[in-house]
Amino acid sequence: MVTTDHGIVELDARRGTTFWVLRLSGCTGALLVLPDGSFLVLCRGVVLRCRDGNVEPLAGKFKGPTMLLAGPDGEPWVLSGTGPSFQTNVRTLALTRVGDRAGQQHRFDIDFDASVHAAGWWERRRFLLAASGHSAVVDLSRSGAVQDTDWITSSHHYAGHMLVIDPNTVITASPTGSSIEVALSFTTIAERSTDLVATLAINGISGFASTGEGRAYLLADVRGNDPTPAPILIRLSGLARREDEPARPRRTPRH
């Protein structure tokens, strides 16, 4: 399934066809497919659960950039807000556990002096935050503060898409700045190192999703100099799979 500005569509990759699953304007970001067949999507700062045509709110009042991600035991979480502003020094960055129904959300404020673009659950209550030029690990069981010693230097200037491959490896996708190339890199958390593994001749990436079978898909744009988008799906094979991945919600692309 793919998020658009006007709702959710389901894509049949074999036939190249799409049909509407949910018509609702204001949807943003990648959605989460849950094990029971329902899915969560962000719409105007609210997390909505959609199942069999029914829509119900689960959590809300999220401000600034937001994204859904799967946390411990497949729990849905939301990354929201931004780091400190140079004008006001106000921090709004947070990770929030959504819960099973409205009123159960639990917010954890994050103290990280960086512009965070994406997050992924690592282990226990540890999350990896991807920012411009570097990433960092935050342990919510300890505190929401990120120390300098937790930083991991990265060659990406904008790591906007992330997948946790195994307990020690993360793959990130980032534009190189040329407008016609995207870099894929592996980050080894224990060694705090990042290695470039591939570059793709594409204009950009709109989504990055794992199938849970050792494969991942990129929703990419190959328009070249044409103003009209030309979306394609790119499959990545040979990725390691976490033992608990079949029970985890899956992130799906945004178009």
Side-chain angles (χ1 to χ4, degrees), residues 86-132:
F86 289 109
Q87 290 77 22
T88 64
N89 199 34
V90 174
R91 294 172 171 84
T92 60
L93 189 65
L95 281 165
T96 302
R97 180 182 177 273
V98 173
D100 296 325
R101 60 180 183 271
Q104 288 188 339
Q105 68 188 70
H106 186 184
R107 175 188 170 101
F108 297 83
D109 292 320
I110 305 299
D111 184 4
F112 185 21
D113 291 335
S115 177
V116 177
H117 306 303
W121 172 61
W122 177 26
E123 62 177 1
R124 297 189 291 275
R125 283 295 178 94
R126 295 179 180 177
F127 292 80
L128 189 68
L129 307 175
S132 299

Side-chain angles (χ1 to χ4, degrees), residues 175-200:
T176 62
S178 66
S179 299
I180 56 172
E181 191 176 67
V182 169
L184 299 179
S185 297
F186 277 109
T187 295
T188 304
I189 300 175
E191 298 178 0
R192 300 190 179 279
S193 63
T194 301
D195 298 308
L196 177 69
V197 293
T199 56
L200 304 177

Side-chain angles (χ1 to χ4, degrees), residues 61-101:
K61 293 187 177 182
F62 298 109
K63 298 181 180 179
T66 56
M67 68 167 287
L68 282 161
L69 63 144
D73 300 321
E75 297 174 340
W77 287 65
V78 172
L79 171 71
S80 63
T82 59
S85 166
F86 289 109
Q87 290 77 22
T88 64
N89 199 34
V90 174
R91 294 172 171 84
T92 60
L93 189 65
L95 281 165
T96 302
R97 180 182 177 273
V98 173
D100 296 325
R101 60 180 183 271

Side-chain angles (χ1 to χ4, degrees), residues 11 162 171:
L11 167 66
M162 171 194 296
I171 184 170

Side-chain angles (χ1 to χ4, degrees), residues 111-155:
D111 184 4
F112 185 21
D113 291 335
S115 177
V116 177
H117 306 303
W121 172 61
W122 177 26
E123 62 177 1
R124 297 189 291 275
R125 283 295 178 94
R126 295 179 180 177
F127 292 80
L128 189 68
L129 307 175
S132 299
H134 59 279
S135 300
V137 174
V138 61
D139 187 349
L140 298 183
S141 64
R142 183 183 62 187
S143 75
V146 175
Q147 307 298 327
D148 292 351
T149 54
D150 298 322
W151 288 22
I152 302 173
T153 302
S154 170
S155 59

